[in-house]
């Protein structure tokens, strides 16, 4: 007897053998059923070798209790102790699968299925499984027989008798036998229907690929034909009844549960199409209507049940179409669409537990292999296997995939699929989620041979393999392209030039010959630079292919590399900072503006890698810009040198902002797409506006310093107007300004005026001098009297003009006025002067409101360019920028005197203030805000893509696709983008008609 407070020796031995609840295990060992073998050391050793010793012991006791009498119980115990193979199989299954333990408890004689003596029992095929199911004549019996066969598969799996590929093949063979048995039961129930038709069952997906999971939908397609002399319509209806009954037999839940769902949704037209079609109907659909993904699915088509001759005819008829899929007109955008990982539908809480769909998951491997098969299987029949691992081996043997990459991917795929199998085996439930409970993870880890620290080892190995898949997923496509232009060792295989071109075309490159030349130029040679490029290029090529213009991305990368290739930090930055390489790829392939800015000073590429996640792209604050520019102006020898430096800073910071915008809009592996697009628009508008203001401030300081020393004869201020004053400048916007001065004490008015005009003239000249930096155009047309009035006025002159001559449109324009450079006190006094004009006491009169509406209507009819689509013009079109801004400005003119929140130069802030003041409903405010943000983003996108400003969507298809990519629309969705834009702006125009025009 064990002394109080001390653990028994049995308790200690149970702990040592891996039991987590030794107390419960002790009680089970004391049960009468185990009395004959309780003290046999073989039992404890065998239990300790299972994935879950507690579960295995519990299942064994239940199985013994379920034996109908002592004789079979004694037979089981004797065999268990005497026959090690049975002991390992039975306890292995009981320790890995609670569901199969339940089955054995319900059907206690089925343990005999684990007693295997013949060699054929070790590797059964379809025939053996058909014999195992032969006596099942109803759905319940079929389920029992199916689980009995599944017992033997699971036993060989958990004991290591079969590897992953063999287990998956056996599961597919068992599914084949089960489908045949189910179809036989359906036929027996409706012999008249069976006599009318020929019905073939085509396995698809993992079943068709001979690589099935323990619990998975079995994907099928049905082909039906009439027997000789029968009516085709009646035959198809009969075949449909048989097919539907067969699906129910497998899928419906009975007292013995279900087998697995049979899914026919891969058929033509999916769930909306007929369940059964004739071969001619199938062929007509695939010739006319099928999408690329449907041909991808057909890679795994395999006749498995019913009329196998008809099934073979089906495969033979469709096979030529499968291998021509890569020649289809929309293959490239379809592939790009499929390549984009669809993780949005995975709940956030599950994304880190997904084995199949998450980045680095099973889907990445399967898709990569299938895509390469579609591209190269046209010419190489050795690649035409439906089994992932067999196809991967063939791709490596043919040089389509690097051998080392293929081996690592094979290893990772086997590990991840084994995890998936063991997770599903426990409850026989369809899932791809890694469990979270410690006990589940421990059992899973032990089932995979990880015994020292199962949970930690499992997580470490899982993450390692997922990382391998994630890294190789893109490299798999592109590494062989480098080998195609490299010198290989004797005996190594490579892509032929034709195969390399085919792959590049399939991945979106429109000029594959030029792309190969760029790859060769970058990666050839034995230098350290070439070695690093060979490491970087496979990943970069994938990122380029993810854009609308991969060719431009690769060409731009070559240009940057040529310019910086001898700089030691450049390639080191791209190699060692993951964010830098991906950010560069996004920037170089997103359009012309950012690459053009970068080419003028390639060293700016360093901005892409500062800090984690590319934080070096964060736009800089105005104070920092002023400090850098003004310090440089102070060191410069003359105004030309000073302004040259200021323009250089502007170019660099424009690149930084453009890169920030592109990365925020495209997203990267480490930084998701910016969810709040309005916030991104505000950041870009503020950054460009601050940069413009800092450039003007530096130029003003340089001109004054060069011409007058420290003090100008007159105080001088620059007032931002329009989008500049509203902190809403785009990349291609001019700087709308007013210039105001005030003579210093004792300085004659004329001298002061001449000095102010000289300053303006010199500023405009220096900011437009031809150089490698983009010019900054100053537009002063919003000044009093427009182009006919003086460029610069004194504060008194402004006061006199506004008092006597000011028109309502000028009051509206002044809503956006804000000092941006020069004398701060003078700027403040100018604002005090104009506030009564832009926020008139008691608001606008009826005549003024009518005048504003008249001006707006006139602008819409006269200023919209001839031939422009008014539904797609971002500035003057229906529901565009002008509509929203004039609506907000009318509310500011009418109510700004009473609502302080409306006294802002920013459109979105004014709209929010109007909503807060209940001048506009929340719903209408959101509609206007959405339209304004979208139109602004389109204008920014056009400038980024084309390198020049524009107010309409580009007509060039590739440029239009690039704008769509920036806006978040994948390949092939340009039409959706235009429809969404029209819908958004149409709704906005409806609000404008009510609020602005009073309709």
């Amino acid at each position: 007897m064990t002394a109080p407070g001390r653990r028994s020796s049995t308790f200690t031995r149970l702990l040592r053998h891996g039991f987590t609840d030794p107390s419960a295990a002790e009680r089970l060992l004391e049960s009468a059923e185990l009395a004959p073998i309780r003290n046999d050391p073989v039992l404890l050793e065998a239990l300790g070798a299972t994935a879950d010793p507690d579960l295995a012991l519990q299942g064994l006791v239940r199985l013994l209790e379920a034996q109908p009498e002592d004789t079979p119980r004694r037979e089981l115990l004797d065999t268990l102790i005497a026959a090690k193979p049975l002991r390992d199989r039975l306890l292995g299954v009981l320790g890995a699968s609670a569901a199969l333990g339940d089955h054995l408890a319900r059907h206690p004689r089925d343990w005999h299925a684990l007693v295997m003596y013949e060699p054929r029992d070790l590797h059964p095929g379809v025939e053996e499984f058909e014999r195992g199911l032969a006596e099942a004549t109803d759905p319940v019996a079929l389920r029992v027989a199916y689980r009995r066969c599944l017992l033997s598969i699971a036993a060989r799996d958990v004991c290591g008798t079969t590897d992953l590929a063999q287990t998956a093949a056996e599961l597919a063979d068992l599914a084949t036998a089960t489908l045949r048995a189910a179809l036989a039961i359906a036929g027996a129930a409706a012999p008249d229907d069976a006599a009318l038709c020929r019905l073939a069952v085509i396995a698809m997906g993992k079943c068709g690929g001979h690589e099935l999971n323990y619990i998975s939908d079995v994907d099928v397609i049905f082909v039906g034909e009439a027997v000789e002399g029968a009516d085709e319509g009646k035959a198809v209806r009969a075949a449909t009844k048989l097919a539907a009954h067969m699906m129910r037999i497998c899928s419906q839940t009975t007292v013995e549960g279900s087998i697995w769902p049979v899914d026919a949704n891969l058929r033509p037209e999916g769930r909306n199409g007929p369940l059964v079609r004739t071969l001619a109907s199938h062929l007509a659909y695939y010739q006319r209507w099928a999408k690329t993904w449907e041909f991808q699915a057909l890679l795994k088509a395999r006749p498995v049940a019913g009329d196998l001759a008809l099934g073979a005819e089906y495969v033979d008829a469709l096979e030529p179409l499968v291998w021509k899929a890569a020649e289809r007109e929309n293959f490239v955008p379809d592939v790009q669409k499929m390549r984009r990982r669809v993780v949005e539908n995975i709940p956030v809480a599950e994304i880190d537990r997904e084995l199949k769909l998450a980045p680095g998951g099973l889907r990445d491997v399967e898709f990569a292999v299938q895509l390469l098969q579609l591209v190269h299987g046209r010419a190489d029949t050795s690649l035409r296997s439906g089994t992932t691992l067999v196809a991967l081996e063939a791709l490596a043997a043919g040089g389509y995939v690097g051998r080392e990459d293929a081996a690592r991917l094979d290893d990772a795929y086997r590990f991840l699929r084994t995890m998936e199998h063991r997770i599903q085996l426990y409850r026989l439930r369809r899932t791809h989620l890694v469990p979270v409970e410690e006990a589940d993870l421990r059992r899973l880890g032990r089932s995979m041979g990880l015994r020292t620290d199962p949970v930690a080892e499992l997580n470490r190995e899982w993450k390692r393999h997922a990382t391998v898949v994630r890294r190789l997923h893109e490299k798999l496509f592109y590494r062989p392209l480098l080998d195609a232009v490299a010198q290989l060792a004797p005996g190594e295989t490579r892509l032929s030039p034709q195969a390399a071109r085919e792959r590049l075309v399939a991945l979106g490159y429109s000029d594959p010959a030029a792309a190969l030349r760029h790859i060769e130029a970058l990666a050839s040679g034995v230098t350290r630079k070439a070695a690093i490029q060979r490491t970087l290029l496979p990943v970069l090529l994938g990122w380029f292919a993810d854009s609308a213009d991969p060719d431009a991305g690769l060409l731009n990368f070559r240009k940057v590399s040529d310019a910086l290739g001898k700089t030691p930090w450049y390639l080191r930055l791209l190699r060692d900072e993951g964010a830098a390489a991906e950010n560069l790829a996004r920037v170089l392939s997103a359009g012309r503006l950012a690459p053009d800015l970068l080419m003028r000073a390639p060293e700016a590429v360093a901005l892409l890698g500062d800090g984690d996640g590319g934080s070096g792209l964060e736009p800089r604050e105005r104070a920092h810009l002023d400090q850098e520019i003004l310090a440089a102006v102070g060191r410069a020898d003359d105004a030309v040198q000073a302004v040259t430096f200021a323009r250089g800073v502007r170019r660099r910071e424009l690149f930084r902002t453009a890169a920030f915008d592109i990365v925020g809009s495209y997203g990267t592996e480490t930084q998701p797409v910016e969810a709040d697009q309005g916030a991104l628009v505000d950041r870009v508008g503020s950054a460009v506006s601050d940069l413009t203001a800092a450039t003007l401030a530096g130029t003003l300081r340089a001109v004054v310093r060069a011409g007058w020393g420290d003090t100008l004869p007159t105080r001088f201020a620059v007032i931002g107007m329009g989008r500049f004053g509203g902190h809403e400048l785009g990349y291609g916007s001019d700087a709308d300004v007013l210039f105001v001065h005030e003579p210093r004490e004792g300085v004659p008015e004329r001298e002061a005026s001449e000095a102010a005009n000289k300053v303006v003239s010199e500023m405009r000249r220096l900011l437009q001098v031809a150089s490698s930096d983009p010019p900054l155009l100053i537009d002063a047309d919003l000044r009093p009297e427009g182009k006919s009035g003086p460029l610069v006025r004194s504060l008194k002159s402004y006061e006199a003009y506004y008092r006597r001559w000011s028109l309502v449109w000028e009051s509206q324009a002044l809503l956006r006025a804000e000092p941006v450079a020069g004398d701060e006190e003078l700027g403040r006094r100018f604002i005090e002067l104009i506030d009564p004009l832009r926020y008139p006491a008691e608001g606008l009169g009826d005549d003024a409101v009518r005048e504003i509406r008249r001006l707006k209507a006139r602008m819409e009819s006269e200023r919209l360019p001839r031939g422009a689509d008014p539904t797609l013009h971002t500035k003057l079109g229906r529901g565009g920028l002008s509509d929203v801004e004039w609506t907000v400005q009318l509310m500011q003119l009418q109510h700004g005197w009473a609502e302080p929140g409306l006294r802002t130069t920013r459109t979105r802030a004014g709209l929010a203030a109007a909503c807060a003041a209940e001048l506009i409903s929340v719903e209408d405010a959101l509609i206007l805000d959405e339209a304004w943000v979208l139109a602004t983003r389109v204008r920014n996108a056009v400038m980024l893509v084309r390198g020049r400003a524009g107010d309409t969507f580009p007509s060039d298809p590739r440029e239009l696709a690039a704008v769509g990519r920036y806006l978040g629309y994948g390949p092939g969705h340009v039409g959706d983008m235009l429809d969404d834009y029209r819908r958004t702006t149409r709704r906005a125009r409806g609000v404008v008609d009510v609020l602005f025009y009073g309709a």
Side-chain angles (χ1 to χ4, degrees):
M1 181 175 176
T2 304
R6 294 187 60 187
R7 291 179 173 177
S8 70
S9 60
T10 303
F11 187 99
T12 304
R13 281 190 298 135
L14 289 170
L15 278 177
R16 192 168 63 247
H17 281 93
F19 286 83
T20 57
D21 190 352
S23 299
E26 269 192 298
R27 289 192 295 273
L28 289 172
L29 286 171
E30 293 297 324
S31 63
E33 288 77 16
L34 284 177
I37 62 170
R38 179 181 304 141
N39 296 316
D40 194 318
V42 168
L43 175 63
L44 215 52
E45 290 289 339
L47 287 168
T50 66
D52 188 338
D54 301 84
L55 182 66
L57 178 58
Q58 182 184 29
L60 177 61
V61 171
R62 291 177 65 206
L63 175 58
L64 289 167
E65 289 174 343
Q67 298 303 313
E69 52 191 37
D70 288 341
T71 300
R73 184 178 301 118
R74 188 72 216 182
E75 179 189 8
L76 171 58
L77 288 172
D78 290 345
T79 310
L80 187 69
I81 295 302
K84 183 179 188 305
L86 171 73
R87 182 168 63 246
D88 291 343
R89 293 182 196 120
L90 176 59
L91 296 183
V93 168
L94 291 174
S97 177
L100 290 178
D102 292 342
H103 172 84
L104 284 170
R106 290 195 307 273
H107 304 280
R109 298 291 297 168
D110 278 3
W111 66 269
H112 288 278
L114 302 178
V115 180
M116 307 170 197
Y117 299 105
E118 300 296 329
R120 68 184 182 186
D121 292 332
L122 297 179
H123 299 289
V126 176
E127 290 183 11
E128 287 75 22
F129 288 127
E130 283 190 291
R131 282 197 294 271
L133 303 177
E135 295 180 6
T137 56
D138 62 74
V140 173
L142 182 60
R143 280 152 177 72
V144 175
Y146 174 83
R147 291 288 173 90
R148 187 181 306 121
C149 292
L150 195 63
L151 267 172
S152 65
I153 295 176
R156 288 188 293 274
D157 180 15
V158 299
C159 292
T161 307
T162 54
D163 65 9
L164 167 82
Q166 293 169 322
T167 300
E170 288 184 13
L171 289 166
D173 286 341
L174 176 56
T176 297
T178 305
L179 289 171
R180 292 177 182 180
L183 186 57
I185 295 171
D192 292 343
D193 288 335
L196 272 179
C197 64
R198 301 169 63 197
L199 176 63
V201 183
I202 312 297
M204 305 287 285
K206 282 189 163 56
C207 184
H210 219 228
E211 51 186 10
L212 197 60
N213 293 331
Y214 276 100
I215 292 294
S216 175
D217 289 358
V218 171
D219 296 309
V220 298
I221 285 177
F222 296 104
V223 189
E225 295 287 351
V227 298
E228 187 174 351
D231 177 75
E232 183 178 283
K234 291 181 179 178
V236 170
R237 286 193 291 275
T240 301
K241 292 177 185 176
L242 289 173
H245 190 188
M246 186 204 82
M247 292 174 68
R248 290 195 302 274
I249 289 170
C250 296
S251 305
Q252 282 184 341
T253 301
T254 69
V255 291
E256 288 291 338
S258 66
I259 302 176
W260 18 244
V262 177
D263 189 341
N265 287 338
L266 290 177
R267 66 186 185 269
E269 300 180 78
R271 64 180 66 237
N272 297 318
L275 184 62
V276 179
R277 288 176 182 259
T278 63
L279 178 56
S281 176
H282 275 285
L283 195 57
Y285 174 84
Y286 283 105
Q287 286 172 334
R288 296 189 62 186
W289 308 111
K291 298 180 174 62
T292 300
W293 71 263
E294 293 178 279
F295 292 108
Q296 182 183 5
L298 286 172
L299 285 170
K300 296 184 177 294
R302 181 171 65 94
V304 292
D307 192 316
L308 297 181
L310 176 58
E313 290 179 49
Y314 171 88
V315 171
D316 291 342
L318 292 181
E319 188 175 45
L321 298 180
V322 173
W323 302 115
K324 290 180 181 179
E327 301 171 5
R328 289 160 57 87
E329 180 180 357
N330 293 319
F331 182 73
V332 171
D334 286 348
V335 164
Q336 289 176 324
K337 197 185 311 177
M338 290 188 292
R339 284 179 66 249
R340 213 171 302 282
R341 297 184 182 99
V342 185
V343 296
E344 288 82 359
N345 292 329
I346 305 175
V348 175
E350 296 179 358
I351 187 68
D352 292 332
R353 299 165 50 214
E354 256 286 348
L355 273 176
K356 182 176 180 180
L357 300 177
L362 294 165
R363 177 63 59 82
D364 275 357
V365 182
E366 292 159 359
F367 172 79
V369 169
Q370 291 163 23
L371 174 58
L372 291 175
Q373 286 180 281
L374 286 175
V375 173
H376 300 297
R378 290 178 290 174
D380 190 342
T381 57
S382 70
L383 306 180
R384 299 180 181 182
S385 171
T387 307
T388 301
L389 291 176
V390 174
L392 180 58
E393 183 180 5
L395 286 165
Y400 303 100
V401 173
R403 288 186 183 276
E404 183 180 343
D405 291 344
R408 295 175 66 199
L409 209 59
D410 181 287
D411 187 41
Y413 187 73
R414 288 175 185 273
F415 183 89
L416 296 174
R417 278 294 303 273
T418 302
M419 275 187 73
E420 183 183 44
H421 275 193
R422 302 296 163 78
I423 291 168
Q424 293 180 348
L425 181 59
Y426 177 53
R427 291 289 186 192
L428 288 181
R429 290 177 183 167
R430 182 175 180 268
T431 180
H432 311 289
L433 293 178
V434 177
V436 293
E437 296 297 328
E438 183 88 4
D440 293 330
L441 290 170
R442 182 176 183 274
R443 180 182 56 256
L444 178 58
R446 284 175 59 91
S447 77
M448 300 188 64
L450 307 173
R451 297 300 174 93
T452 306
D453 186 351
V455 176
E457 290 179 73
L458 175 69
N459 282 320
R460 183 167 58 249
E461 286 298 295
W462 170 32
K463 297 304 179 186
R464 180 176 70 82
H465 285 294
T467 300
V468 166
V469 172
R470 192 160 57 244
R471 288 177 178 170
L472 288 181
H473 178 236
E474 297 295 349
K475 185 181 176 185
L476 203 66
F477 300 124
Y478 299 104
R479 169 60 64 185
L481 294 172
L482 274 65
D483 293 340
V485 297
Q487 295 295 320
L488 299 185
E492 291 191 32
T493 54
R494 71 165 83 213
L495 286 181
S496 68
Q498 179 60 29
R501 284 193 290 273
E502 287 175 349
R503 185 174 298 192
L504 283 164
V505 168
L507 294 163
Y509 290 82
S510 60
D511 189 348
L516 282 174
R517 287 196 301 271
H518 297 323
I519 293 170
E520 183 174 12
L522 288 162
S524 60
V526 294
T527 63
R528 179 175 174 275
K529 167 188 169 184
I532 297 176
Q533 288 282 23
R534 285 194 290 272
T535 301
L536 291 170
L537 271 170
V539 180
L540 288 168
L541 288 167
W543 285 325
F544 294 148
D546 195 36
S547 73
D549 195 349
D551 301 83
L554 180 55
L555 173 60
N556 289 330
F557 179 67
R558 182 179 175 184
K559 289 179 179 178
V560 173
S561 295
D562 287 346
L564 293 176
K566 295 181 180 179
T567 308
W569 57 264
Y570 167 62
L571 290 174
R572 186 169 64 245
L573 171 81
L574 299 185
R575 181 193 63 193
D576 297 342
E577 296 195 33
E582 186 173 5
N583 289 343
L584 178 63
R586 299 300 182 202
V587 166
L588 292 181
S589 56
R592 296 179 183 175
L593 178 65
D596 286 350
L597 292 169
L598 182 59
M599 297 307 172
R600 294 172 182 180
E603 65 276 3
V605 75
L607 297 174
L608 299 171
D610 288 351
D612 295 332
S615 60
L617 296 181
E618 287 286 332
R620 298 172 71 198
E621 299 293 334
R622 169 71 188 274
H624 294 146
L625 296 171
D626 282 341
Q627 183 178 14
E628 180 181 7
I629 291 175
L630 294 178
V633 168
R635 295 191 300 268
D637 295 333
D638 54 35
V640 173
Q641 187 184 70
V643 176
T644 298
F645 183 86
R647 290 176 64 182
V649 172
R650 177 171 176 265
R651 181 243 312 128
R652 183 196 70 208
E653 296 303 318
L654 275 176
F655 171 74
R656 187 199 302 267
T657 303
F660 171 81
D661 191 5
I662 290 166
V663 170
S665 297
Y666 275 63
T668 65
E669 288 186 2
T670 57
Q671 181 175 330
V673 173
E674 173 61 58
D676 187 349
Q677 298 300 323
L680 183 59
V681 164
D682 290 343
R683 292 291 302 280
V684 171
S686 293
V688 178
S689 300
D690 285 347
L691 180 55
T692 301
T695 305
L696 289 177
T699 303
L700 174 60
R701 175 74 64 86
V703 170
V704 171
R705 183 167 170 263
W708 293 272
D710 292 334
T711 306
L712 190 66
T714 184
R715 298 179 184 277
F716 187 91
V718 183
I719 310 298
M721 299 289 287
R723 302 182 77 79
F724 185 18
H727 298 261
E728 297 161 359
L729 280 182
Y731 299 109
S733 301
D734 295 346
D736 289 320
V737 299
L738 297 178
F739 297 109
V740 57
H741 77 99
E742 183 179 61
R744 296 187 184 277
E745 188 173 347
V747 176
E749 177 76 30
R750 183 172 179 177
E751 180 185 345
S753 179
E754 287 177 355
N757 276 281
K758 285 181 181 179
V759 167
V760 172
S761 177
E762 187 67 0
M763 286 179 67
R764 298 179 82 177
R765 183 186 72 80
L766 290 172
L767 289 170
Q768 296 179 45
V769 169
S771 76
S772 61
D773 298 312
L776 174 55
L777 302 179
I778 295 176
D779 187 341
D781 289 352
L782 291 175
R783 65 187 184 270
E785 302 179 77
K787 293 181 180 179
S788 303
L791 266 177
V792 190
R793 287 178 181 264
S794 68
L795 186 62
K796 286 185 178 180
S797 176
Y798 276 107
E799 183 180 10
Y801 175 85
Y802 288 138
R803 185 174 62 251
R804 297 185 62 188
W805 309 110
S806 177
L807 301 174
V808 68
W809 73 264
E810 290 177 300
S811 295
Q812 182 181 353
L814 288 170
L815 287 167
R816 310 271 257 166
E818 180 171 296
V820 293
D823 190 296
E824 294 181 5
E825 173 64 18
L826 180 59
R828 183 186 61 76
R829 288 165 57 203
F830 180 83
I831 295 301
E832 290 176 352
L833 168 66
I834 65 171
D835 271 351
L837 288 171
R838 54 184 183 173
Y839 309 125
E842 305 302 326
L844 292 179
D846 291 343
D847 290 343
V849 171
R850 281 193 294 271
E851 175 64 11
I852 288 177
R853 289 172 176 165
R854 187 188 67 79
L855 288 170
K856 177 74 167 68
R858 179 181 170 188
M859 183 177 69
E860 289 177 9
S861 63
E862 295 180 1
R863 293 183 60 186
L864 190 70
R866 180 176 297 180
D869 185 344
T871 66
L872 294 176
H873 197 279
T874 60
K875 183 176 181 180
L876 302 175
R878 178 195 68 190
L881 297 171
S882 175
D883 271 0
V884 177
E885 290 166 3
W886 281 59
T887 301
V888 173
Q889 289 162 14
L890 181 59
M891 289 188 285
Q892 289 178 299
L893 288 166
Q894 289 178 306
H895 304 284
W897 65 278
E899 294 291 342
L902 289 171
R903 299 170 200 167
T904 175
T905 62
R906 303 173 187 240
T907 301
R908 297 188 73 213
L911 185 57
C915 183
E918 299 183 352
L919 301 174
I920 179 174
S921 69
V922 173
E923 181 181 1
D924 287 349
L926 289 174
I927 289 172
L928 294 184
D929 185 73
E930 181 185 11
W932 189 89
V933 167
L934 178 57
T936 302
R937 295 200 74 221
V938 171
R939 291 184 94 199
N940 286 346
V942 169
M943 184 65 186
L944 286 168
V945 169
R946 303 179 67 194
R948 60 182 187 274
D951 291 317
T952 59
F953 288 87
S955 56
D956 177 81
R958 184 159 285 221
E959 290 180 346
L960 187 60
V963 169
R965 185 70 182 85
Y966 170 89
L967 294 175
Y969 292 87
H973 286 279
V974 164
D976 294 337
M977 171 182 69
L978 299 178
D979 289 345
D980 289 347
Y981 182 84
R982 287 189 172 104
R983 185 182 308 110
T984 300
T985 53
R986 182 175 62 247
R987 294 173 65 209
R989 180 61 186 214
V991 176
V992 171
D993 284 341
V994 173
L995 293 180
F996 184 83
Y997 288 110

